[in-house]
């Protein structure tokens, strides 16, 4: 019963893995997708934009300011009466009125506060850029580790599959030899146990592949159903330090 259960789990996990959509992804494409879709990268990029806007606002304090004010009013006709409200007299008055005020001002001397605020905003912008770069580098090293582990596990999966195929042939040969009296029952049992261990190893490898693949896809913004296939030709040209200028 245990043999059948292990075999069933291994076959189910294997077919679930190979039935998913595969996508060959180079390291450069991996980093590009991370820059575009990573939530942490987007948050730090937003902080850079906000600090750049703060620098602009601080510099605007040196410019002259202009204020304009427009007032419109309406006055109805007048009416005068005695104290007992008798003998009312109608008095015509202008109905519409308007005023327009334009003021221009500029700071002549502020004790260096404007310059200090500009420098403070620039330093905050530089800090935001540095924080972005550090976060980007940390994320890339993490993704690169996942990527290399994925490459290693896929190779390990291939080795397991070949060994399982060879062991199945050995079990078949042992059974035939046992029927002919040239092999012992223990020989068949030994190879069947070896086959079970290989199938269990394959199941464990596929499960680890699924976990790593899920971590990668969720970080770079792909659907979890997509199985990433590392580009073996790109492993010899790894460059993590690719910082991009963000205005």
């Amino acid at each position: 019963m245990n043999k059948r259960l292990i075999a069933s789990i291994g076959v189910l996990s294997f077919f679930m893995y190979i039935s998913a959509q595969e996508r060959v992804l180079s390291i450069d494409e991996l980093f590009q997708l991370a820059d575009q879709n990573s939530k942490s990268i987007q948050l730090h990029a937003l902080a850079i934009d906000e600090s750049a806007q703060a620098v602009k606002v601080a510099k605007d304090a040196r410019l002259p300011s202009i204020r304009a004010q427009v007032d419109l009013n309406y006055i109805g006709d007048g009416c005068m009466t005695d104290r007992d409200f008798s003998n009312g007299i109608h008095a015509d008055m202008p109905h519409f009125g308007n005023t327009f005020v334009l003021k221009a001002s500029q700071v002549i001397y502020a004790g260096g506060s404007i310059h200090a605020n500009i420098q403070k905003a620039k330093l905050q912008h530089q800090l935001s850029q540095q924080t972005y770069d550090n976060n980007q580098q940390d994320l890339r090293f993490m993704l690169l580790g996942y990527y290399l582990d994925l490459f290693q596990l896929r190779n390990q999966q291939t080795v397991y599959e070949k060994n399982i195929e060879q062991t199945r042939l050995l079990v078949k040969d042992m059974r035939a030899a046992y029927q002919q009296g040239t092999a012992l029952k223990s020989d068949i049992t030994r190879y069947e146990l070896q086959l079970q261990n290989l199938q269990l190893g394959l199941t464990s490898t596929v499960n680890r592949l699924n976990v790593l693949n899920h971590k990668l896809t969720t970080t770079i913004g792909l659907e979890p159903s997509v199985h990433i296939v590392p580009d073996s030709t790109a492993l010899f040209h790894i460059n993590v330090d690719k910082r991009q200028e963000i205005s």
Side-chain angles (χ1 to χ4, degrees):
M1 183 66 181
N2 292 333
K3 296 180 182 179
R4 294 180 179 178
L5 179 60
I6 293 174
S8 299
I9 294 175
V11 171
L12 179 61
S13 300
F14 176 72
F15 278 104
M16 287 178 63
Y17 181 81
I18 64 174
S19 62
Q21 178 185 356
E22 291 189 346
R23 176 175 175 178
V24 178
L25 206 64
S26 67
I27 295 176
D28 287 338
E29 291 173 328
L30 182 73
F31 291 161
Q32 289 174 5
L33 288 173
D35 290 342
Q36 295 171 5
N37 301 317
S38 170
K39 293 182 179 178
S40 62
I41 290 290
Q42 292 175 353
L43 287 175
H44 286 88
L46 180 61
I48 291 177
D49 294 338
E50 291 178 349
S51 61
Q53 186 65 27
V55 173
K56 182 180 179 182
V57 171
K59 289 181 177 181
D60 289 344
R62 297 182 302 190
L63 302 176
S65 60
I66 299 176
R67 298 177 60 186
Q69 180 178 350
V70 178
D71 294 329
L72 298 175
N73 53 71
Y74 174 84
I75 302 175
D77 291 337
C79 181
M80 294 183 296
T81 66
D82 293 336
R83 291 184 178 180
D84 58 358
F85 300 102
S86 62
N87 301 320
I89 301 174
H90 180 78
D92 292 332
M93 299 178 66
H95 294 291
F96 292 97
N98 61 79
T99 58
F100 176 75
V101 179
L102 182 65
K103 295 181 180 181
S105 62
Q106 183 174 10
V107 178
I108 303 300
Y109 177 73
S113 62
I114 295 178
H115 178 73
N117 288 334
I118 293 175
Q119 294 303 315
K120 180 181 178 181
K122 286 183 177 180
L123 289 175
Q124 185 62 45
H125 180 64
Q126 292 176 5
L127 179 61
S128 298
Q129 180 68 58
Q130 186 62 45
T131 303
Y132 174 90
D133 292 338
N134 292 339
N135 178 263
Q136 184 186 53
Q137 292 299 97
D138 292 342
L139 181 63
R140 290 186 175 188
F141 278 118
M142 183 187 71
L143 291 176
L144 184 59
Y146 290 159
Y147 190 87
L148 295 177
D149 288 343
L150 200 66
F151 178 78
Q152 180 182 4
L153 287 173
R154 289 184 70 89
N155 288 339
Q156 187 174 338
Q157 177 189 358
T158 302
V159 172
Y160 271 121
E161 291 170 355
K162 291 182 178 179
N163 287 339
I164 287 174
E165 182 180 357
Q166 293 175 358
T167 304
R168 282 174 177 167
L169 293 175
L170 288 174
V171 171
K172 183 179 180 180
D173 292 341
M174 283 295 109
R175 287 173 178 172
Y178 177 76
Q179 295 295 332
Q180 297 175 1
T182 58
L184 300 175
K185 182 68 174 180
S186 59
D187 295 330
I188 301 176
T189 303
R190 184 173 67 254
Y191 283 111
E192 286 179 342
L193 180 60
Q194 179 179 339
L195 179 61
Q196 290 181 31
N197 291 333
L198 290 173
Q199 289 173 338
L200 185 60
L202 177 60
T203 301
S204 176
T205 300
V206 170
N207 290 337
R208 292 170 62 190
L209 275 170
N210 288 331
V211 171
L212 273 177
N213 190 82
H214 185 269
K215 290 180 179 179
L216 275 173
T217 52
T218 52
T219 303
I220 64 179
L222 295 180
E223 292 293 331
S225 60
V226 176
H227 276 183
I228 298 174
V229 179
D231 184 2
S232 58
T233 60
L235 294 176
F236 301 99
H237 306 284
I238 299 176
N239 184 8
V240 180
D241 191 8
K242 290 186 176 180
R243 302 183 182 182
Q244 300 177 354
E245 295 295 331
I246 296 184
S247 57

